[in-house]
Amino acid sequence: MWEKKKRKVWPTVVASTMLMGLLAACGSNTDTAKSDAKGNSDQAGAGASSGKVVTVHMIESLTSPKRTDILKAMISQFEKENPNIKVDLISPPFDQADNKIRTMLAAKQELDVLEVRDLNIAEYVNNGYIDPLDTYTGTWKDFSTVTAVAKSIATNNNKLYFIPNGLYQRQLFYRKDWFEEKGLKPPVSYQELYETGKKLTDSAKNRYGFSFRGGMGSAGITDQMVLAYNGDQVNLEDAQFLKSGNTIYSSPEAKEAIELYMKIYKEASPSDAVNWGFQEQVQAFTSGVTGMLLQDPDVIQTIQEKMKPEQWATAPMPTGPNGKALIQAGGAGWGIASQSKNKEAAFKLIAFLSNPEQNTEFGKKYGLVPIHTTAANDEYFKTGPYKTLLDMSNKPDVFMNYKPPFQYPGTGQWNQASMESGQAYLLGKFTVVDVLKKWDAYWMDQKSKKK
Amino acid sequence: MKTRLQFIGPFKVFFLALHLVIMVFPLYWILITSLKPQNEIFTYPLKYWPTNITFDNYINIFKISKFHVYIGNSLLVAISSALIVIVISVLSAYVLARFQFRGHRQIMLAFFATQMLPGFISLGPLYLMMTQLDLINSRIALVLMYTVGLIPFSTIILRGFFQRIPASLEEAAMIDGCSRLVALIRIIVPIMMPGIASTFIFAFVQNWNELFMAVMFIDHDLLKTMPVALNSLILKYDVDWGAMSAGTVLSVIPTVFLFAFAQRFIVEGLTQGAVKG
Amino acid sequence: MKSRQPFILFGLLPALLLVLIFTYYPFLKGGIMAFQEYKLFDLRNVHFVGLQNFRDAFKDPKFLTALQNSAYWVFFSLVFQFLIGLTLALLMNKKFRGRGIYQGLVFYSWALSGFLIGMIWKWMFNSQIGVINDLLLKTGIIETRIGFLSDPKWAMISVIIANVWYGIAFFAIMLLAALQSVPSELYEAAEMDGASEARKLISVTLPYILPTIITTTLLRVIWIFNDPTIIYGMTNGGPAGSTHILSSLMLDKIIYAGDYGAASAIGVVMIVLLLLYTLFYLSVTKSEKMGDF
């Protein structure tokens, strides 16, 4: 039936183009524009002359023009080494990338390698969109040096689904010059962060203590605080829940944490920040509006570009009242689409992008922690802003690693749900009890749905 | 009456001047933002006059992302689609203006109703259709989609123009042995030029600015259009305001140029169609 | 007239076929999703759920806020766009030096995309480094910064301001053209009767351009109601969903949640509202022939 429609449409277009010629011939229209747009739909493989050239279609999610350039350089090196594989990189705008990837997968568009995020691994696995990589990693020589943390974020139901292209880990960035000026030390706990933030705040000068984040991704801060306050009670293997089986939002400690969260917002942050997401939060820090920022290492690039070295430094994540902080590694990486027809070539590409040399280079250029143990010996990651991350991993009793709830399909929607009730709370539409109830209900529901 | 006019004078000048400032200021602000060096864009206090003019932002958008390619694609897609829209709509508008037949009213209604459909509902099914037609990743898909989206409105507008032109004109030509089509093209279209030009501009502007379909249907970097490139400047951590401003300035140029060029046509054109249709 | 048949077909077929195949067919397919559980991240679980999506929508405070916001958004945008546009058109009707250049400078906004306009105003409304706060502080109009886009009290006003800024040109262009076509004899006759300027405006000008006003407002309402791009660029519906209108909420459901069922249900509600509005509008203004619809 599709063929029929196709035949109906094209004559129309052709007819109109011919008519266009007729119009032009009438002399009334001297437009020199080309009348027909011939898109080169770049279908390599269709009519490739040299035997068996395979095209691998690859799509990224966390796009930025700069990162795309870095990837392209890596890819062209790969193509040089593998002349029979051509890579077609698709880079949708970051804001719409995940939607586009979902749509392509749902429509079974040609796709071989895709960037899977820790947030949507469960979603893709549940839909059968991506293949486990365990069969491939068995024969991959560099697999032995991939860190346990990197493997754990890419694992779902005991199978590995992607090879991370680097790890994110939160730390505290602060304005060294402001702190020195006021004789302050970087805060160790959230309580101190609040007190320090208050001291830094001077709205007349348009200066605030904390780069608060109430918009997209606010769960990053609220959940971190709730986890730190619950401390040892948290089930590290299933970290939306306590060892008792209740959610982390059900405890009195959670209430304490969320009350402090409000105080930080009201007294140490710009009121505008109820709406801030990544961009505003980082912009405020780099442009000298705020003095402290909790973020992943991939902002280091941006910060280095926009600030002088003496203006900023890093410190470990703040802790809860019992001196514990729960930290997690996050990340995204390359997986293979189930519908791929070139899985061997696809893994070849993934293995190349993930080898220690390429991966470490990517980490340096883009601001990520590399995934191979060998990179830990690299001087670059022992100094400057990366040193803090290393320090944290050397104190596992204070900075306890937990496994985020990536095995729950609802994880992908959690950010949105958490933000909406969180904003309602900040704006005074919800009480602290309301907001915790909402969050508690969300995860109890997730738990009951998960077989 | 005289006294009233004297009162109207200052009011008129004041209103027109105020309006000018309000309309032009955002463009001015974007322009000077685009000429500021990266580190000055966020410095406080704000600078209302660029002291260190730099073209870095412009150089960057051509270097980091291939803006010349995107502008080219946008022009190609927007112009081709607008031309095809004109051809198809002139025909349908002419038929709907000159003939009465069964289903005439229903067709007019069907065209009018398309204006109410929220386009995003169709995006998923359209993506599937384009996949099956093997048109994903080709600019033809965009030309086709944009054209279809504009046909109804253009038909309604152009029909209004045809109704103003006496049918006796082409009938005279047909007595001389011309076919109806030739009469339409030779006699009527030249008279209709203002209406056609303004419809063309309307179509061009719509196409030039379309974002969501362009993101969906185009994967390949070299086929991307301008709005997609601008949307790509919203990064995970940052909006690259320098590049965004430079890109915005560049994207305004063709439309402003076109506007200036066809000012007379537009003003006459669009309303005369609207008065009746 | 048999001989006309081929020409009618030839003239209409391209337009009709294209619109049927690429507008109505996908729209119907999309519309069906309104009655389905249809989530892109859970495609193995697509099934008919009757009116569940509609029930969910009307229970969702976000949807109800968006419904209310849509009314504000359309009403205030339209009223200000129209009034300022009309005033501008009346003032520009008489030739003055530099009118051509003036037109170019005040009409260009119409040629920008909603997304870009959203971005531009987001940039200017930014409470820390935004130029609008800076100007208001400098001139002493305000003492403390206003969170134009973060304070729910202001956010909706701010997006409407941007939308008005964008839409004035449309009305001004349309109405100016209509004014230019008013026959001068009518004015001359009115002056013979000694009519004042105001009198002329009310009894000559406005009646003559009424059809244009009706057509433009009808279409404009539909477009304003359906176009989420300014809001997408400016606030993405925030803070806390307080600036979502129905169409931006629908976009949000698609882009960020992949929930086509919920999105289509919102779309169906939108169409029903627009149909009711159009019928009502056309019956109220039936004195005018609207291109014999």
Side-chain angles (χ1 to χ4, degrees):
Chain A
M1 89 170 251
W2 278 105
E3 284 312 300
K4 248 192 246 161
K5 276 198 180 133
K6 204 168 169 173
R7 268 201 297 271
K8 263 187 201 158
V9 174
W10 287 119
T12 318
V13 178
V14 173
S16 3
T17 330
M18 282 165 57
L19 227 148
M20 197 90 72
L22 193 60
L23 274 181
C26 273
S28 59
N29 189 341
T30 50
D31 209 312
T32 52
K34 277 274 175 294
S35 55
D36 201 356
K38 278 271 180 286
N40 305 318
S41 54
D42 218 84
Q43 300 286 7
S49 50
S50 57
K52 291 190 305 181
V53 174
V54 188
T55 301
V56 172
H57 299 272
M58 166 178 176
I59 191 163
E60 52 172 329
S61 158
L62 304 171
T63 318
S64 77
K66 256 198 211 110
R67 194 180 91 143
T68 304
D69 273 358
I70 301 170
L71 278 174
K72 276 189 178 150
M74 291 161 81
I75 287 169
S76 63
Q77 197 181 331
F78 170 79
E79 285 175 328
K80 258 203 220 90
E81 290 174 23
N82 300 277
N84 59 344
I85 303 178
K86 202 175 146 305
V87 181
D88 189 11
L89 175 68
I90 306 171
S91 311
F94 165 74
D95 199 39
Q96 301 190 47
D98 284 334
N99 177 47
K100 173 143 184 168
I101 295 173
R102 278 187 192 131
T103 312
M104 285 179 83
L105 291 166
K108 299 269 181 284
Q109 254 299 319
E110 276 190 356
L111 197 56
D112 306 295
V113 175
L114 66 151
E115 186 164 21
V116 183
R117 298 171 66 180
D118 46 17
L119 292 176
N120 52 27
I121 177 173
E123 175 190 324
Y124 290 170
V125 170
N126 286 351
N127 277 303
Y129 284 152
I130 46 179
D131 278 3
L133 302 180
D134 303 274
T135 42
Y136 304 94
T137 52
T139 55
W140 179 36
K141 65 177 184 2
D142 296 320
F143 191 58
S144 54
T145 53
V146 175
T147 57
V149 179
K151 284 178 197 164
S152 84
I153 64 162
T155 300
N156 183 290
N157 290 330
N158 302 320
K159 293 195 187 78
L160 186 77
Y161 281 96
F162 64 92
I163 310 289
N165 46 32
L167 299 176
Y168 303 99
Q169 207 158 27
R170 287 259 147 117
Q171 59 185 332
L172 178 73
F173 295 80
Y174 66 95
R175 284 295 299 248
K176 205 162 89 189
D177 50 348
W178 294 9
F179 275 61
E180 280 163 7
E181 198 178 294
K182 287 201 170 1
L184 297 165
K185 282 209 295 290
V188 175
S189 66
Y190 283 105
Q191 184 62 35
E192 283 179 23
L193 181 137
Y194 157 67
E195 285 155 12
T196 312
K198 241 185 2 185
K199 287 177 192 148
L200 289 170
T201 300
D202 178 357
S203 54
K205 271 196 184 154
N206 197 23
R207 254 192 203 189
Y208 299 89
F210 185 57
S211 251
F212 191 89
R213 177 172 173 184
M216 209 52 200
S218 59
I221 294 181
T222 48
D223 286 355
Q224 283 289 329
M225 286 180 74
V226 170
L227 285 165
Y229 270 66
N230 279 313
D232 283 327
Q233 304 175 52
V234 178
N235 175 357
L236 295 178
E237 289 306 305
D238 190 4
Q240 293 303 82
F241 298 91
L242 303 171
K243 286 170 181 156
S244 65
N246 295 327
T247 70
I248 52 172
Y249 309 105
S250 61
S251 66
E253 287 86 354
K255 187 161 170 276
E256 230 178 297
I258 294 303
E259 279 167 346
L260 181 72
Y261 173 72
M262 178 66 103
K263 276 160 72 182
I264 294 175
Y265 170 63
K266 281 236 153 48
E267 300 170 48
S269 318
S271 58
D272 213 32
V274 62
N275 225 13
W276 286 4
F278 297 115
Q279 299 155 1
E280 294 85 356
Q281 185 196 20
V282 176
Q283 234 163 49
F285 183 74
T286 54
S287 62
V289 174
T290 53
M292 290 180 281
L293 168 75
L294 294 173
Q295 259 306 349
D296 294 326
D298 53 348
V299 302
I300 292 172
Q301 289 281 325
T302 311
I303 292 178
Q304 280 171 337
E305 252 169 56
K306 298 196 172 156
M307 298 168 81
K308 300 184 184 78
E310 65 276 11
Q311 287 182 312
W312 62 285
T314 58
M317 284 298 282
T319 59
N322 309 325
K324 301 272 184 198
L326 274 69
I327 57 168
Q328 55 137 323
W334 310 114
I336 297 182
S338 312
Q339 65 207 49
S340 163
K341 298 183 189 74
N342 314 308
K343 290 179 184 171
E344 289 301 325
F347 192 77
K348 228 181 188 163
L349 171 64
I350 294 176
F352 174 84
L353 295 174
S354 312
N355 73 33
E357 184 199 348
Q358 294 292 334
N359 178 264
T360 306
E361 202 47 38
F362 186 70
K364 284 181 190 175
K365 281 186 180 148
Y366 185 60
L368 293 166
V369 179
I371 60 167
H372 292 279
T373 46
T374 44
N377 309 325
D378 194 314
E379 271 314 303
Y380 187 87
F381 295 101
K382 287 184 185 169
T383 52
Y386 291 96
K387 186 177 173 303
T388 315
L389 297 175
L390 207 62
D391 292 348
M392 285 200 278
S393 51
N394 289 337
K395 286 194 219 158
D397 53 331
V398 175
F399 301 100
M400 303 186 292
N401 245 308
Y402 70 92
K403 200 167 159 32
F406 297 143
Q407 71 273 32
Y408 293 94
T411 298
Q413 305 308 308
W414 170 235
N415 255 333
Q416 183 82 16
S418 166
M419 171 185 86
E420 280 169 20
S421 21
Q423 286 182 329
Y425 166 64
L426 293 170
L427 297 169
K429 292 179 185 163
F430 274 11
T431 66
V432 66
V433 177
D434 293 338
V435 73
L436 287 166
K437 262 209 188 104
K438 269 258 190 244
W439 293 347
D440 179 70
Y442 186 96
W443 285 101
M444 282 321 254
D445 177 54
Q446 284 298 314
K447 197 174 187 171
S448 69
K449 273 192 193 146
K450 200 170 178 293
K451 289 121 202 143
Chain B
M1 247 180 74
K2 276 274 185 285
T3 51
R4 188 185 305 273
L5 277 176
Q6 274 162 354
F7 165 74
I8 279 185
F11 167 77
K12 176 173 173 172
V13 171
F14 172 76
F15 184 93
L16 288 177
L18 181 70
H19 188 75
L20 182 69
V21 170
I22 290 172
M23 291 316 289
V24 173
F25 184 77
L27 192 63
Y28 169 76
W29 193 244
I30 288 293
L31 184 67
I32 64 165
T33 302
S34 74
L35 295 171
K36 286 177 181 174
Q38 274 291 355
N39 57 4
E40 237 176 69
I41 288 178
F42 293 104
T43 45
Y44 208 79
L46 296 182
K47 290 207 173 106
Y48 286 79
W49 193 249
T51 36
N52 323 316
I53 291 188
T54 165
F55 289 95
D56 283 356
N57 291 315
Y58 291 89
I59 294 163
N60 276 343
I61 58 173
F62 284 104
K63 226 169 42 191
I64 294 178
S65 54
K66 310 175 191 64
F67 257 71
H68 46 290
V69 176
Y70 309 140
I71 293 174
N73 286 330
S74 272
L75 281 173
L76 183 69
V77 169
I79 291 174
S80 339
S81 159
L83 285 175
I84 299 173
V85 165
I86 295 295
V87 173
I88 294 178
S89 305
V90 160
L91 285 174
S92 54
Y94 177 80
V95 170
L96 287 167
R98 287 285 188 265
F99 303 117
Q100 275 300 337
F101 49 90
R102 265 214 346 255
H104 182 280
R105 197 185 142 84
Q106 284 73 10
I107 290 173
M108 282 303 290
L109 274 175
F111 280 171
F112 178 76
T114 56
Q115 299 301 297
M116 296 189 200
L117 306 182
F120 297 104
I121 288 192
S122 318
L123 209 52
L126 272 175
Y127 187 85
L128 278 170
M129 283 170 82
M130 290 293 132
T131 313
Q132 283 156 318
L133 290 170
D134 201 17
L135 283 178
I136 296 289
N137 224 357
S138 102
R139 283 167 295 195
I140 293 177
L142 289 188
V143 173
L144 180 64
M145 287 296 106
Y146 294 176
T147 304
V148 171
L150 286 161
I151 286 173
F153 177 76
S154 311
T155 300
I156 292 170
I157 288 284
L158 287 170
R159 176 173 171 264
F161 285 104
F162 278 119
Q163 287 175 322
R164 303 167 63 97
I165 296 171
S168 52
L169 278 177
E170 73 250 34
E171 275 155 16
M174 283 161 75
I175 290 164
D176 291 346
C178 272
S179 76
R180 188 176 281 280
L181 186 63
V182 172
L184 168 67
I185 292 167
R186 286 258 168 85
I187 314 289
I188 307 296
V189 167
I191 300 176
M192 289 256 303
M193 257 314 150
I196 289 178
S198 60
T199 311
F200 177 87
I201 284 170
F202 176 84
F204 175 88
V205 166
Q206 297 286 315
N207 296 340
W208 178 255
N209 289 328
E210 203 284 332
L211 166 66
F212 294 97
M213 287 193 185
V215 169
M216 254 358 237
F217 297 137
I218 301 289
D219 302 334
H220 202 279
D221 191 36
L222 293 174
L223 300 177
K224 277 183 186 160
T225 57
M226 185 91 178
V228 180
L230 288 169
N231 194 223
S232 300
L233 296 173
I234 300 181
L235 314 176
K236 191 174 152 198
Y237 290 111
D238 203 0
V239 175
D240 190 338
W241 285 110
M244 186 71 93
S245 317
T248 304
V249 171
L250 289 179
S251 84
V252 172
I253 292 171
T255 37
V256 167
F257 181 77
L258 201 66
F259 255 47
F261 175 72
Q263 194 60 254
R264 229 161 306 134
F265 281 151
I266 289 196
V267 170
E268 278 200 15
L270 277 179
T271 16
Q272 291 181 353
V275 168
K276 279 209 142 173
Chain C
M1 292 288 282
K2 273 262 156 44
S3 61
R4 287 176 171 190
Q5 209 82 343
F7 190 83
I8 291 178
L9 275 179
F10 162 78
L12 271 179
L13 220 50
L16 261 186
L17 272 183
L18 283 173
V19 170
L20 286 176
I21 296 173
F22 292 104
T23 304
Y24 279 101
Y25 171 74
F27 174 75
L28 287 176
K29 274 188 81 164
I32 290 171
M33 293 175 181
F35 305 94
Q36 291 175 315
E37 167 90 17
Y38 198 109
K39 295 192 172 103
L40 268 192
F41 55 86
D42 199 5
L43 276 184
R44 297 183 168 189
N45 192 17
V46 172
H47 58 276
F48 276 95
V49 291
L51 296 175
Q52 192 55 46
N53 288 322
F54 295 92
R55 275 196 290 271
D56 288 349
F58 280 99
K59 272 206 300 250
D60 180 3
K62 246 174 108 176
F63 171 83
L64 298 172
T65 308
L67 195 62
Q68 192 184 14
N69 281 345
S70 279
Y72 292 148
W73 167 254
V74 170
F75 179 80
F76 289 110
S77 299
L78 185 86
V79 166
F80 286 108
Q81 284 178 9
F82 175 74
L83 287 179
I84 302 173
L86 179 64
T87 313
L88 196 63
L90 288 170
L91 295 180
M92 288 170 71
N93 197 17
K94 291 232 165 59
K95 265 207 163 49
F96 55 84
R97 265 184 45 192
R99 186 171 72 167
I101 293 168
Y102 186 87
Q103 274 187 2
L105 288 173
V106 297
F107 288 166
Y108 79 92
S109 70
W110 185 64
L112 292 177
S113 74
F115 164 70
L116 273 187
I117 286 165
M119 291 308 286
I120 292 172
W121 284 87
K122 178 183 184 173
W123 178 227
M124 297 200 304
F125 270 132
N126 179 307
S127 73
Q128 259 54 44
I129 35 177
V131 66
I132 293 176
N133 260 309
D134 196 62
L135 280 173
L136 292 172
L137 283 169
K138 272 206 172 75
T139 50
I141 294 173
I142 55 171
E143 299 279 302
T144 51
R145 296 165 181 284
I146 296 175
F148 284 107
L149 300 179
S150 57
D151 181 342
K153 283 201 293 289
W154 280 100
M156 201 66 216
I157 296 172
S158 306
V159 291
I160 289 174
I161 289 175
N163 196 26
V164 169
W165 182 86
Y166 163 62
I168 292 171
F170 172 83
F171 275 111
I173 293 170
M174 292 296 209
L175 297 171
L176 182 59
L179 289 173
Q180 302 271 304
S181 65
V182 180
S184 52
E185 302 88 70
L186 290 180
Y187 287 125
E188 282 155 20
E191 272 163 25
M192 300 272 278
D193 299 341
S196 65
E197 288 292 320
R199 182 87 227 142
K200 271 196 285 187
L201 178 67
I202 290 164
S203 52
V204 179
T205 314
L206 287 178
Y208 195 88
I209 63 170
L210 195 60
T212 308
I213 292 176
I214 288 173
T215 316
T216 47
T217 46
L218 176 72
L219 272 176
R220 198 71 203 146
V221 164
I222 293 171
W223 288 346
I224 292 175
F225 183 79
N226 268 340
D227 184 11
T229 46
I230 287 183
I231 289 178
Y232 168 78
M234 230 168 137
T235 61
N236 229 336
S242 62
T243 52
H244 266 310
I245 56 171
L246 289 175
S247 60
S248 67
L249 186 63
M250 177 170 77
L251 186 64
D252 190 83
K253 293 271 187 220
I254 290 174
I255 292 191
Y256 304 107
D259 190 343
Y260 275 88
S264 294
I266 295 172
V268 170
V269 170
M270 286 165 66
I271 289 177
V272 170
L273 289 173
L274 282 179
L275 278 173
L276 289 173
Y277 156 80
T278 306
L279 291 173
F280 169 77
Y281 191 90
L282 290 180
S283 69
V284 168
T285 55
K286 63 182 177 301
S287 53
E288 301 307 320
K289 274 183 63 181
M290 279 286 308
D292 54 59
F293 279 143

